[in-house]
Amino acid sequence: QVQLVESGGGLVQPGGSLRLSCAASGRITSINVMGWYRQAPGKQRELVATITNGGRTDYADSVKGRFAISRENLKNTVYLQMNGLKPEDTAAYYCKYQNGIHRLDYWGRGTQVTVSS
């Protein structure tokens, strides 16, 4: 089993920045994928960005050029640097861990990001 602890959410003004962190613990495998998803009220959960243990990344078109995902493998931690935040970025952001062997998904509890003036 894997546990995920997220942090870094909050209230920011349009154009501001936030950095989210997610630390994984438990049955961690060397081969895995970690990422961030978000869900706004009344909307489906959508992919924001993912990163493999080898550093390969994938981004949603809506955040390309503004968000950057990175990871620190020894700490089993993934980060999401969010710049140029827009009101439409407002959502609950969830960290996901995918076991590289069994391909099982684990989710964090979520951290709220609100972009408003």
Side-chain angles (χ1 to χ4, degrees):
Q1 305 301 312
V2 174
Q3 296 78 46
L4 304 173
V5 179
E6 303 143 317
S7 62
L11 173 64
V12 297
Q13 294 186 333
S17 298
L18 282 175
R19 187 181 189 235
L20 306 183
S21 298
C22 174
S25 62
R27 297 186 179 182
I28 305 300
T29 56
S30 297
I31 301 175
N32 61 70
V33 179
M34 296 185 71
W36 293 94
Y37 292 70
R38 66 187 182 186
Q39 186 169 23
K43 304 294 183 180
Q44 289 186 298
R45 187 171 297 185
E46 64 177 356
L47 179 146
V48 177
T50 60
I51 184 168
T52 68
N53 57 278
R56 179 171 58 83
T57 60
D58 186 42
Y59 294 92
D61 288 341
S62 60
V63 306
K64 287 181 178 178
R66 298 189 297 121
F67 293 7
I69 189 169
S70 62
R71 64 186 295 163
E72 192 169 343
N73 289 343
L74 291 179
K75 297 176 65 176
N76 297 311
T77 300
V78 64
Y79 307 94
L80 184 68
Q81 179 65 47
M82 304 184 293
N83 299 321
L85 284 163
K86 305 174 181 179
E88 50 263 46
D89 293 318
T90 296
Y93 283 69
Y94 297 88
C95 179
K96 189 180 83 171
Y97 171 95
Q98 183 181 75
N99 184 293
I101 298 176
H102 301 289
R103 302 191 187 282
L104 299 177
D105 292 342
Y106 299 87
W107 293 90
R109 296 294 183 88
T111 184
Q112 181 67 36
V113 172
T114 301
V115 185
S116 176
S117 59

